[in-house]
Amino acid sequence: MSVPLQDRPLESVREEIIDQLILNYSHGELSAEAFERRLDQAYNLQEQQKIAALSVDLPLKSDPRYHTEKAARLGPKFTSSTEDVEKMHMTSMLGSSHRSGEWVVPKEIHLKNYLGSIELDFTCAIFSHPEVHIYMDCILGSGEIYIPDSVDVITDINNIMGSVENTRNTLATNTQVKQRPRIYIKGRTILGSLEVSVKRSMKMQLKQFADGLKSLFSDQSNSKY
């Protein structure tokens, strides 16, 4: 006997309905305008029944192939290399340093920032370990760290006449990604700043994922999903 809809976890219901919206949009069952409108409603509504009502007229339901494609495109990337990447050192003195794109994230990152700026962008990064430790020493400098929604960040910074802003310091409960990397940031800032933020929200990533699926199925219109 299935659990009544109102007794199911809200986020689980939300995720299932969003998956159904994406799949139906990608197969041409929803217009772009209707998809974006219903996606916004799925994120904003706070009652299971109202969220579920967004998909009652849709014919397609997600299947294992859809979830495999979703995990491949939206989930965190891990390297399959047997050679561990242990440490990386970055130093910025009166200058700037940054890492972005599909770079391999080591187990430890040591940052020294003196009157400079450092930027780490984990949006497309490939992780070599499920836990990453960043050790930071920042004096009169600025640091920016961008992470996707599928990564958790915990900060433990001694801040002296500076600023530390981390919008991800609470472990996320999002069920969209089962294996979530976790980044720990420790160290100090003296007259400096550190900002940890999400560069692209999950809603933006889902819209891009849906558009990608739609293009894929349009190119393969003669084959059955």
Side-chain angles (χ1 to χ4, degrees):
M1 188 174 182
S2 60
V3 177
L5 187 62
Q6 65 271 17
D7 292 337
R8 294 188 56 206
L10 178 64
E11 293 306 318
S12 294
V13 175
R14 195 191 313 276
E15 181 179 354
E16 289 179 10
I17 300 307
I18 288 175
D19 286 339
Q20 198 172 351
L21 293 175
I22 291 172
L23 186 58
N24 280 270
Y25 166 68
S26 67
H27 283 76
E29 300 292 342
L30 278 176
S31 67
E33 294 78 9
F35 168 67
E36 292 200 17
R37 183 181 69 252
R38 294 193 192 195
L39 182 61
D40 288 340
Q41 290 174 326
Y43 269 99
N44 294 330
L45 292 172
Q46 299 299 319
E47 295 181 21
Q48 291 89 331
Q49 292 88 341
K50 291 183 178 180
I51 295 174
L54 298 172
S55 67
V56 293
D57 58 341
L58 300 179
L60 302 178
K61 292 186 178 181
S62 57
D63 59 14
R65 183 179 175 185
Y66 165 84
H67 289 290
T68 299
E69 187 71 19
K70 178 183 175 184
R73 297 200 183 198
L74 292 182
K77 298 178 182 178
F78 286 90
T79 179
S80 58
S81 174
T82 57
E83 182 179 351
D84 285 342
V85 182
E86 292 296 329
K87 292 184 180 181
M88 181 181 78
H89 296 266
M90 291 182 69
T91 300
S92 179
M93 304 178 73
L94 291 169
S96 62
S97 300
H98 71 277
R99 293 299 295 268
S100 61
E102 291 191 350
W103 61 290
V104 177
V105 180
K107 187 175 183 179
E108 293 184 7
I109 301 176
H110 297 261
L111 305 178
K112 294 183 179 180
N113 185 5
Y114 309 127
L115 289 164
S117 66
I118 289 180
E119 177 184 307
L120 295 178
D121 188 345
F122 292 90
T123 304
C124 299
I126 301 172
F127 289 83
S128 60
H129 299 269
E131 291 189 356
V132 178
H133 295 264
I134 298 178
Y135 301 96
M136 184 183 72
D137 187 29
C138 177
I139 301 175
L140 289 166
S142 64
E144 292 181 297
I145 296 178
Y146 300 105
I147 50 98
D149 269 328
S150 57
V151 174
D152 294 315
V153 179
I154 300 93
T155 52
D156 182 13
I157 304 292
N158 293 321
N159 184 25
I160 302 173
M161 296 183 70
S163 66
V164 176
E165 181 178 354
N166 176 18
T167 60
R168 301 285 293 179
N169 58 2
T170 301
L171 296 184
T173 57
N174 192 311
T175 59
Q176 305 223 7
V177 180
K178 308 304 179 184
Q179 185 182 13
R180 302 174 63 88
R182 188 174 300 175
I183 299 175
Y184 296 89
I185 305 176
K186 296 183 179 181
R188 66 173 183 171
T189 62
I190 301 175
L191 293 168
S193 65
L194 171 67
E195 181 178 354
V196 180
S197 60
V198 175
K199 192 170 186 177
R200 289 183 298 166
S201 69
M202 181 56 72
K203 186 188 296 186
M204 292 174 60
Q205 293 180 62
L206 287 173
K207 286 181 178 179
Q208 292 176 348
F209 171 57
D211 287 333
L213 281 186
K214 187 173 180 63
S215 298
L216 174 65
F217 293 133
S218 295
D219 294 339
Q220 301 175 348
S221 57
N222 294 326
S223 63
K224 185 178 180 182
Y225 178 74

